[in-house]
Amino acid sequence: MKYSAINWNRMEDDFTKIFWDQNVRQFWVDEEIPLTDDKLDYIALSDEEKYTYERVLGGLTLLDTQQGDIGIPLMSKAINNPHQKSVLSFMGAMEHMHAKSYSSIFSTLCSMDRIDEIFVWIESNDYVQKKANIITKSYESINNKQTLVEAMATSVFLESFLFYSGFFYPLFLSGQGKLMNSGEIINLIIRDEAVHGVYVGILAQQLFSELSMKQQETVYKNIINTLNKLFDNETRYTNDLYSTLNLQDQVHTFIQYNADKAMMNLGFNPYFNVDESKVNPIIINGLRTDTKNHDFFSTKGNGYIKSTKVESLKDTDFDF
Ligand code: MN3
Ligand code: MN3
């Protein structure tokens, strides 16, 4: 057996180098974003708002932990292309950065006792646990090309759909000028997840096209089945988290909108057919990270001033 080294001068596909570059350009570190200004906003929140904000970030922490620990390594192990493995590993490191950044927010806003309560809640909430279970099972079932495509679809659901039930609340608050610095971290994470969802989606589409018609039918059916299972659970999760604030209906619409995006990242038709006009404009506006990253002089939504060249993701970055 011969061991081969990665050669970046001989690429095996025509898109992975673009994604490597994009991931590197977007690199950021949570500690470089000042968060202390959010403290006063947090204190002014009602008990219900504080509770929801903390649980929402707790749920997001679990998803990032899983994606970094289990999802990305298992997908990477199952593919052979060395450059694709590199991009996945880079993305995996960022998942750990995301997970850590929520802890930075917690340590700025909450007492140690409150932080401990969040992590106890993560382990005791049935919906969060069920979601983690569905995702982990999908990754652990990888044993051939079909199950790899299915796991990659689950991964895209995580990146492009499931995160958004959590992103909703920080976007909702920062859209009203509250907790803007934490909102900046959320924006950086959203920018990363957008690239992750597109990249894993492309890998899944390539493998899917190599399957026979019959295999494709089965795989598609399994993917839709997973989507429905995750959506059903996500509906219960958002009812549980958001109904005290009466935001659950808005969140349902928003996650359907994002589930459609996930389906499109996988090269499939939208499933729920919820377009942008149905989503609260505050949230849609908050998703647009492009207007903030170049303005280093404003204090609004601009905590991040690392000297690495920061460029927003454009649709044209993904024209091949
Ligand atoms: Mn992440
Ligand atoms: Mn990700």
Side-chain angles (χ1 to χ4, degrees):
M1 141 122 207
K2 296 235 169 59
Y3 298 98
S4 32
I6 188 165
N7 180 0
W8 283 91
N9 295 302
R10 291 269 178 221
M11 299 300 290
E12 292 166 32
D13 67 41
D14 58 3
F15 56 89
T16 289
K17 178 63 166 58
I18 297 170
F19 280 91
W20 173 268
D21 293 341
Q22 184 65 35
N23 275 288
V24 171
R25 270 200 296 271
Q26 292 188 187
F27 176 75
W28 58 278
V29 181
D30 61 306
E31 279 159 354
E32 297 189 51
I33 298 165
L35 289 166
T36 41
D37 285 353
D38 282 357
K39 186 89 188 166
L40 284 174
D41 288 338
Y42 172 81
I43 290 167
L45 296 179
S46 70
D47 287 348
E48 291 78 17
E49 289 170 328
K50 283 189 188 111
Y51 182 93
T52 303
Y53 193 74
E54 290 163 1
R55 266 64 189 168
V56 152
L57 298 193
L60 288 169
T61 305
L62 181 64
L63 287 183
D64 272 313
T65 306
Q66 275 211 306
Q67 188 69 344
D69 276 358
I70 304 165
I72 301 242
L74 287 180
M75 286 189 291
S76 177
K77 196 167 166 241
I79 60 173
N80 297 316
N81 181 314
H83 310 101
Q84 293 177 357
K85 283 173 183 283
S86 303
V87 172
L88 286 174
S89 294
F90 196 102
M91 284 165 37
M94 288 315 289
E95 304 301 5
H96 292 295
M97 194 72 73
H98 300 167
K100 180 173 178 290
S101 68
Y102 296 119
S103 283
S104 296
I105 296 175
F106 291 146
S107 67
T108 307
L109 304 180
C110 315
S111 67
M112 203 56 210
D113 284 350
R114 267 190 101 94
I115 294 173
D116 287 340
E117 280 168 27
I118 299 167
F119 286 85
V120 170
W121 174 86
I122 292 167
E123 288 183 17
S124 64
N125 182 279
D126 288 346
Y127 311 117
V128 171
Q129 288 296 315
K130 186 174 178 190
K131 175 160 50 179
N133 186 256
I134 295 170
I135 294 164
T136 306
K137 284 240 171 76
S138 179
Y139 286 134
E140 287 177 347
S141 305
I142 299 174
N143 58 22
N144 58 20
K145 202 178 273 182
Q146 287 110 285
T147 46
L148 177 56
V149 177
E150 288 169 16
M152 285 177 168
T154 304
S155 190
V156 173
F157 289 148
L158 187 156
E159 303 274 10
S160 307
F161 154 41
L162 300 176
F163 274 126
Y164 287 83
S165 61
F167 293 151
F168 180 93
Y169 198 45
L171 288 171
F172 183 79
L173 291 174
S174 66
Q176 301 167 65
K178 295 175 186 171
L179 296 157
M180 299 285 287
N181 298 302
S182 306
E184 178 72 11
I185 286 194
I186 300 297
N187 272 324
L188 290 164
I189 295 175
I190 288 174
R191 198 179 59 168
D192 288 347
E193 306 307 5
V195 177
H196 298 177
V198 171
Y199 186 63
V200 177
I202 291 174
L203 297 183
Q205 287 186 48
Q206 279 210 323
L207 291 169
F208 187 81
S209 71
E210 295 165 13
L211 300 174
S212 71
M213 288 294 266
K214 199 160 180 281
Q215 288 170 330
Q216 287 188 353
E217 268 173 43
T218 313
V219 166
Y220 181 77
K221 236 197 285 167
N222 291 340
I223 289 172
I224 294 297
N225 184 31
T226 303
L227 174 64
N228 279 313
K229 258 198 289 186
L230 287 170
F231 183 75
D232 179 63
N233 184 62
E234 208 62 12
T235 305
R236 293 162 202 267
Y237 176 60
T238 50
N239 284 343
D240 185 40
L241 264 185
Y242 285 101
S243 52
T244 48
L245 304 176
N246 200 26
L247 288 171
Q248 71 282 5
D249 295 341
Q250 286 191 46
V251 183
H252 289 166
T253 308
F254 187 52
I255 59 176
Q256 287 179 321
Y257 168 75
N258 287 292
D260 282 350
K261 295 225 148 173
M263 286 297 281
M264 290 187 272
N265 281 344
L266 291 164
F268 299 132
N269 289 325
Y271 188 74
F272 296 104
N273 290 300
V274 170
D275 65 72
E276 197 179 292
S277 65
K278 305 238 175 69
V279 180
N280 183 339
I282 289 179
I283 304 299
I284 293 292
N285 196 40
L287 284 179
R288 295 209 180 91
T289 52
D290 51 326
T291 52
K292 292 172 195 157
N293 300 319
H294 289 288
D295 178 8
F296 293 131
F297 303 104
S298 159
T299 54
K300 265 200 171 177
N302 260 313
Y304 200 66
I305 49 169
K306 195 171 187 300
S307 57
T308 309
K309 196 170 143 232
V310 179
E311 266 183 27
S312 307
L313 187 65
K314 295 183 218 74
D315 286 346
T316 49
D317 288 322
F318 303 107
D319 289 339
F320 304 113

